[in-house]
């Protein structure tokens, strides 16, 4: 791993803006956490967040039609999405070529990420498989009765086991300091995939040492001559009385 290049790449992606640690505090675990986040961010941006726009040119008119269709919330809208996704999946001509083009773009971005973090490591086959799975999954979610889409987790939120899963080294009673990848829910707020978050374990605060009690001032001690003089004076007083 090349820490300097990795940090630069993560910084360019905006991942360090809200990360709860400074660069000099990062350990291998944190690099793995950021790497996982970076990969999911690329897949979400390229595929999950824009399943139709990555196949068709995302003009304002096209996006306006899609938004209007979704706002109707009728069974007709769901059928339209399902038929569209099915047609794209079955097409072996132009749609297949468009799919391959979009998958290739995601592959290139992931390869750049891997090479910047790990150097000359060949993960081409795994990356290609991952991107193809992500593309098919994005269309499967888009073509459901109620569309499934990624949702963000607000930083500072308390950990919620029903909506989130924890990264390693997390405190179940803590709050979210970093979102590794988003959750996925449908238009009816039904959760399909939990968000993965990191809730750092707080280091125990050092115990304050109790302040030492002040030592009592020593009673004045008379030396032998002073003791004898005092005794003599007291004796004289007694005789005079």
């Amino acid at each position: 791993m090349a820490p300097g290049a990795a940090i630069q790449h993560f910084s360019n992606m905006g991942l360090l803006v809200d990360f709860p640690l400074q660069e000099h505090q990062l350990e291998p675990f944190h690099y793995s956490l950021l790497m996982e986040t970076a990969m999911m961010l690329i897949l979400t941006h390229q595929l999950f967040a824009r399943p139709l726009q990555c196949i068709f040119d995302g003009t304002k008119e096209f996006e306006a039609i899609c938004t209007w269709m979704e706002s109707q919330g009728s069974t007709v809208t769901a059928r339209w999405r399902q038929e569209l996704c099915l047609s794209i999946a079955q097409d072996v001509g132009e749609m297949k070529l468009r799919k391959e083009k979009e998958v290739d773009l995601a592959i290139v971005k992931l390869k750049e990420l891997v090479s910047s973090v790990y150097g000359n490591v060949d993960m081409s086959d795994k990356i290609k498989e991952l991107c193809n799975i992500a593309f098919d999954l994005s269309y499967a979610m888009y073509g459901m009765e109620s569309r499934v889409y990624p949702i963000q987790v607000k930083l500072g939120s308390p950990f919620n086991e029903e909506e989130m899963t924890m990264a390693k080294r997390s405190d179940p009673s803590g709050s979210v300091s970093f979102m590794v990848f988003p959750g996925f829910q449908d238009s009816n707020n039904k959760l399909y995939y939990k968000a993965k978050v990191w809730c750092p374990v707080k280091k125990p605060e050092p115990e304050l040492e109790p302040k030492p009690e002040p030592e009592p001032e020593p009673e004045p001690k008379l030396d032998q001559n002073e003791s004898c003089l005092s005794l003599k004076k007291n004796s004289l007083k007694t005789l005079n009385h």
Side-chain angles (χ1 to χ4, degrees):
M1 179 184 291
I7 288 295
Q8 186 61 50
H9 205 103
F10 295 147
S11 178
N12 292 341
M13 296 181 71
L15 298 181
L16 301 181
V17 175
D18 296 317
F19 201 72
L21 297 177
Q22 298 297 318
E23 180 180 337
H24 67 277
Q25 298 174 300
L26 298 181
E27 301 174 5
F29 162 73
H30 303 121
Y31 284 97
S32 298
L33 203 65
L34 287 163
M35 184 64 175
E36 189 176 356
T37 306
M39 294 182 73
M40 191 61 184
L41 186 64
I42 290 173
L43 293 175
T44 299
H45 177 73
Q46 293 293 130
L47 303 173
F48 291 122
R50 47 190 294 274
L52 286 185
Q53 286 82 350
C54 74
I55 286 290
F56 303 102
D57 292 334
T59 62
K60 291 183 178 180
E61 291 78 10
F62 176 75
E63 292 182 5
I65 292 173
C66 292
T67 302
W68 177 78
M69 288 286 289
E70 292 295 335
S71 68
Q72 301 305 301
S74 65
T75 55
V76 175
T77 303
R79 296 294 174 268
W80 173 76
R81 281 191 288 99
Q82 291 171 343
E83 288 295 331
L84 181 61
C85 291
L86 181 61
S87 298
I88 291 173
Q90 293 178 343
D91 188 274
V92 294
E94 184 180 357
M95 292 298 107
K96 183 175 183 294
L97 294 175
R98 290 190 181 190
K99 169 191 171 181
E100 291 173 350
K101 180 181 177 181
E102 289 302 320
V103 169
D104 286 343
L105 287 175
I107 289 173
V108 168
K109 289 184 177 294
L110 286 179
K111 281 185 175 181
E112 289 176 354
L113 172 65
V114 170
S115 63
S116 69
V117 176
Y118 295 112
N120 296 324
V121 178
D122 187 10
M123 298 180 63
S124 300
D125 292 340
K126 291 183 178 180
I127 290 175
K128 184 177 181 179
E129 180 183 7
L130 176 63
C131 290
N132 277 297
I133 291 174
F135 182 93
D136 293 338
L137 182 59
S138 69
Y139 266 80
M141 292 191 298
Y142 186 76
M144 294 185 69
E145 189 76 23
S146 181
R147 179 188 172 187
V148 178
Y149 54 90
I151 56 170
Q152 304 295 309
V153 176
K154 185 178 180 181
L155 298 182
S157 303
F159 176 73
N160 185 339
E161 188 176 4
E162 294 182 358
E163 300 177 357
M164 310 170 194
T165 182
M166 288 190 302
K168 293 180 180 178
R169 301 189 189 180
S170 288
D171 180 6
S173 62
S175 57
V176 177
S177 291
F178 188 67
M179 186 185 73
V180 183
F181 56 74
F184 287 84
Q185 71 177 26
D186 66 13
S187 306
N188 297 320
N189 297 325
K190 179 181 178 181
L191 188 66
Y192 282 82
Y193 299 98
K194 295 181 180 181
K196 185 175 182 179
V197 298
W198 182 43
C199 307
V201 178
K202 292 183 179 180
K203 294 183 179 180
E205 296 182 1
E207 295 183 2
L208 297 177
E209 295 183 1
K211 293 183 179 180
E213 295 183 2
E215 296 182 1
E217 294 184 4
E219 296 181 0
K221 293 183 180 180
L222 299 175
D223 60 22
Q224 189 174 5
N225 293 332
E226 288 178 332
S227 298
C228 292
L229 181 60
S230 177
L231 180 60
K232 184 177 180 180
K233 287 181 179 179
N234 290 334
S235 299
L236 289 173
K237 285 182 181 180
T238 304
L239 290 174
N240 290 333
H241 287 290

